[in-house]
Amino acid sequence: MKENFKLDIRQRPRRLRKSAGILDLCQETRVLPSDLILPVFLKEGKSGAEAIPSMPMVSRHTIDSLMRVCEAALRRGVKGIAPFPMVDPAKKSLRADEALNANSLANRAIAAVKRNFPEMSIFADIALDPYTTHGHDGILDKDGRIINDETVEVLAAMALVAAQSGADFVAPSDMMDGRIGAIRDVLDDCDFSDTGIMAYSAKYASAFYGPFRDAIGSAPSAAKGNARRGGKGGRPKEGESGGKAKYLDKRSYQLNPANSREAVREALMDEAEGADIIMVKPAGPYLDIVAKVKDAVTLPVAAYQVSGEYAMILAAAQNGWIDLERAREESLLAIKRAGADMILTYFA
């Protein structure tokens, strides 16, 4: 080889990677604490935090301990929370009556946070599955099928109660047709036009939700009152999958993981109906969906790094297989790089 060999090239991209300072100056994507929304799990009582085995370093909180979480989050620059209640089984019903209770655990927590930390933005989950005995996100008919329009009526009433409790945004996560427009109408008619809607527009029927359902105590199977997927000819009921499925099958309302155009259609419909923020859930396995939705809508886009994504990273790190801090940062950067303006993540 020729001595002192040099390539005759003008463009050397490595010049922009030669030091930590230059790397920082040229970084295209950043994740800031203010980009994050912290999902928090709630439980009744005054016993403080309770660990969730399937989600290391994540706990269920009483309203008292939630105040400490909010204080710490704000101190670190995280300015939004999304509370999810673990509902007493005795308060669950076929029609999710507790969801409309102004004194429910979730609504008391919302009011307490707003009273103590008015600067904290609260994104209230609007869905019936924590409140139903069967664990589905809707009202069932006598044949076990979800009645879309009747469910939407209940969801709109639930959203109004959350707004009255102090929620800055209501976040319908049910995937019923037409619920964004119905909720917007009810909020506007009742003088809550300033309350925003974060629409779970592209919520997929994902296998990555398992730890979350453990955390809120959602029904793992539909022994009674299954919502059928429709039709005849031996199609499986929701909750049935050859005897192997642990959790309810929600494919009659959540999106098919194989589809992307459907997600864009749902996002555009929600934008037209009055949503203020469009959500994609899960985040990591659906970065292509985040990007496509971002290109299609004019609204801010949120992505939810769900419990299964979080649990896998923690489990691998605890086994010494990956570096927790680097994997955490890389996973969040990827979501932001795909187009998310904000990220719901337990890493917050």
Side-chain angles (χ1 to χ4, degrees):
M1 182 174 289
K2 187 189 300 183
E3 188 176 353
N4 298 323
F5 174 77
K6 285 188 178 181
L7 294 172
D8 183 17
I9 55 175
R10 291 180 177 272
Q11 301 215 15
R12 293 181 179 266
R14 286 186 57 203
R15 287 194 288 259
L16 300 181
R17 302 194 290 267
K18 69 179 184 180
S19 71
I22 292 174
L23 281 169
D24 283 344
L25 286 171
C26 298
Q27 183 164 322
E28 299 174 24
T29 305
R30 299 180 192 277
V31 178
L32 304 175
S34 56
D35 297 326
L36 307 180
I37 298 169
L38 174 63
V40 290
F41 297 111
L42 307 175
K43 67 168 190 167
E44 292 282 9
K46 295 184 178 295
S47 57
E50 173 185 63
I52 301 170
S54 58
M55 298 182 69
M57 299 169 61
V58 176
S59 300
R60 297 185 192 93
H61 290 276
T62 62
I63 292 177
D64 288 345
S65 65
L66 176 62
M67 298 305 105
R68 295 191 288 274
V69 170
C70 290
E71 183 179 17
L74 286 167
R75 190 166 60 246
R76 290 167 171 80
V78 176
K79 301 174 183 178
I81 63 166
F84 297 94
M86 184 176 187
V87 178
D88 183 342
K91 295 183 178 180
K92 296 186 180 189
S93 64
L94 289 172
R95 298 186 59 82
D97 302 292
E98 180 68 8
L100 306 185
N101 180 5
N103 200 40
S104 70
L105 172 60
N107 289 321
R108 281 185 282 120
I110 291 168
V113 172
K114 272 299 167 188
R115 188 166 56 248
N116 290 279
F117 304 100
E119 69 274 35
M120 178 66 82
S121 298
I122 303 175
F123 299 80
D125 183 48
I126 305 300
L128 304 188
D129 54 322
Y131 302 94
T132 56
T133 50
H134 46 73
H136 279 291
D137 298 54
I139 305 300
L140 306 183
D141 66 13
K142 60 182 177 61
D143 296 318
R145 294 182 175 87
I146 290 177
I147 311 170
N148 187 91
D149 295 9
E150 190 172 339
T151 296
V152 168
E153 183 179 19
V154 177
L155 291 167
M158 181 183 181
L160 177 59
V161 176
Q164 292 168 337
S165 300
D168 299 280
F169 284 80
V170 293
S173 61
D174 55 285
M175 290 300 292
M176 297 296 127
D177 294 339
R179 87 273 203 218
I180 302 303
I183 290 171
R184 186 71 272 160
D185 287 344
V186 167
L187 292 175
D188 290 351
D189 289 346
C190 296
D191 296 325
F192 283 94
S193 57
D194 287 340
T195 301
I197 300 176
M198 173 187 275
Y200 284 62
S201 302
K203 182 177 180 179
Y204 281 84
S206 173
F208 290 93
Y209 301 149
F212 176 93
R213 292 174 181 171
D214 288 341
I216 66 167
S218 184
S221 62
K224 297 180 181 179
N226 275 303
R228 297 181 63 178
R229 296 195 65 215
K232 298 181 181 180
R235 287 189 179 184
K237 295 180 180 180
E238 296 196 19
E240 297 177 352
S241 180
K244 296 181 180 179
K246 181 180 180 183
Y247 294 101
L248 290 176
D249 183 345
K250 299 187 176 185
R251 286 176 291 175
S252 74
Y253 43 103
Q254 295 177 359
L255 297 185
N256 183 346
N259 294 355
S260 61
R261 292 195 304 272
E262 187 176 22
V264 172
R265 180 189 181 203
E266 292 274 3
L268 290 172
M269 288 172 64
D270 286 352
E271 182 175 42
E273 288 181 23
D276 299 285
I277 299 171
I278 299 296
M279 161 101 67
V280 176
K281 180 182 179 182
Y286 293 85
L287 296 180
D288 61 320
I289 307 301
V290 174
K292 288 179 180 179
V293 168
K294 179 68 172 180
D295 286 343
V297 303
T298 61
L299 298 174
V301 174
Y304 197 145
Q305 186 181 51
V306 299
S307 59
E309 298 175 70
Y310 172 87
M312 288 192 301
I313 292 172
L314 262 291
Q318 288 180 340
N319 277 284
W321 298 333
I322 61 174
D323 181 293
L324 174 58
E325 185 173 339
R326 289 185 62 192
R328 177 192 67 199
E329 300 303 315
E330 187 176 338
S331 70
L332 294 172
L333 276 171
I335 298 166
K336 190 80 182 294
R337 189 183 66 238
D341 298 288
M342 62 200 79
I343 305 171
L344 285 83
T345 175
Y346 303 97
F347 288 124

